[in-house]
Amino acid sequence: MNPNNKFVVLISGNGSNLEAMCKAGLSEQIAAVISNKSGVRGLVIADRYKIATEVIEHKNFANRDSFDDELMKTIEKYTPTLVVLAGFMRILTDKFVNFYTNRLINVHPSILPAFIGANAIENALQAKTKVTGITIHFVTTKLDSGPILAQGIVPIKANDTIETLSQRIHLLEHRLYPFVIKKFLENKITISNDVTASIIHEKNDVLFLNSLNTNIFY
Ligand code: GRF
């Protein structure tokens, strides 16, 4: 991995995905963690791994444009090659998203394009599908619709609640997100067009994950 390839993580709260990235050995490549809320657990995790932190309270801005302008200014101080959304609960302006074209990624708790939006886990439960999962994708101006990099499947059990299903979804996120970030930092991502992106896999890479722990290798 090129040590000059650094990334910035945007959070709003818990930071369990941030923690998973750190546990996967990526903390030294995280240039900064930026939160739109103060006092959240994710900032404590960042401190623990000695990662620079910034808080930009969205409440202090008159509108989305001025908040995103400040966010961009702050991110650019760190000149990252990648910006990672990890539970960042703000809709970003087109200007922001376009500025970071092909270097802004997100993890969404469903198998996109199913269950777009903020209540993906609840919506999958209500729809009574047998499986749901996670998607790691590039962010574009269309909500939850950018080129997909990786997906994982989580079966839905008959007695699942939002809490139990969320737990299993998170476990999968924690394995797959660091993997994809590493691939990005190793320049092993190709983007074919605005709907297709792929990871250049190597022998023994985990290509596909499910929460039953049966990895499928390439
Ligand atoms: C994750 O479930 C992710 O799918 C969604 O936000 C959640 C963030 O959790 N985008 P955490 O803050 O990383 O614990």
Side-chain angles (χ1 to χ4, degrees):
M1 213 172 341
N2 181 344
N4 298 322
N5 276 348
K6 305 254 183 207
F7 63 104
V8 164
V9 183
L10 306 188
I11 62 162
S12 299
N14 191 34
S16 71
N17 279 285
L18 168 67
E19 190 171 17
M21 292 166 209
C22 294
K23 285 186 174 163
L26 285 166
S27 62
E28 283 181 11
Q29 296 196 259
I30 303 178
V33 170
I34 305 175
S35 174
N36 65 311
K37 284 188 187 160
S38 59
V40 296
R41 179 178 174 271
L43 292 169
V44 178
I45 308 280
D47 283 344
R48 189 183 302 155
Y49 283 90
K50 306 198 181 342
I51 301 166
T53 57
E54 306 261 5
V55 176
I56 309 170
E57 297 265 11
H58 64 274
K59 296 180 292 198
N60 298 341
F61 292 82
N63 51 44
R64 270 187 212 289
D65 291 327
S66 54
F67 172 74
D68 278 13
D69 283 348
E70 182 62 24
L71 188 58
M72 271 171 69
K73 218 168 81 190
T74 309
I75 293 171
E76 286 312 294
K77 282 197 313 194
Y78 297 94
T79 58
T81 47
L82 173 68
V83 177
V84 172
L85 304 181
F88 186 66
M89 304 306 283
R90 301 287 306 164
I91 292 176
L92 294 159
T93 55
D94 288 1
K95 179 183 171 191
F96 182 99
V97 171
N98 289 332
F99 185 78
Y100 291 106
T101 299
N102 296 342
R103 53 197 183 107
L104 176 64
I105 61 173
N106 183 42
V107 60
H108 181 80
S110 77
I111 305 170
L112 290 172
F115 307 122
I116 284 172
N119 303 313
I121 300 177
E122 191 180 343
N123 292 342
L125 267 179
Q126 275 170 3
K128 303 204 181 307
T129 53
K130 299 294 182 203
V131 296
T132 185
I134 67 168
T135 301
I136 294 160
H137 64 99
F138 281 110
V139 177
T140 59
T141 52
K142 201 168 159 214
L143 183 70
D144 298 332
S145 301
I148 291 171
L149 287 158
Q151 291 183 305
I153 293 175
V154 179
I156 300 181
K157 297 178 184 174
N159 56 355
D160 257 337
T161 60
I162 295 183
E163 289 71 33
T164 57
L165 184 55
S166 301
Q167 262 176 13
R168 297 205 308 290
I169 284 179
H170 278 135
L171 286 178
L172 201 57
E173 291 179 349
H174 298 165
R175 294 172 61 205
L176 197 53
Y177 214 7
F179 169 78
V180 172
I181 293 167
K182 278 183 190 167
K183 288 290 175 186
F184 189 100
L185 299 178
E186 290 166 357
N187 300 320
K188 296 224 171 93
I189 302 279
T190 58
I191 303 161
S192 317
N193 50 48
D194 60 356
V195 287
T196 314
S198 20
I199 297 174
I200 301 166
H201 290 280
E202 275 154 26
K203 205 165 176 279
N204 296 333
D205 270 350
V206 175
L207 180 62
F208 174 88
L209 292 169
N210 67 40
S211 63
L212 302 175
N213 266 350
T214 48
N215 299 339
I216 297 176
F217 292 94
Y218 183 66

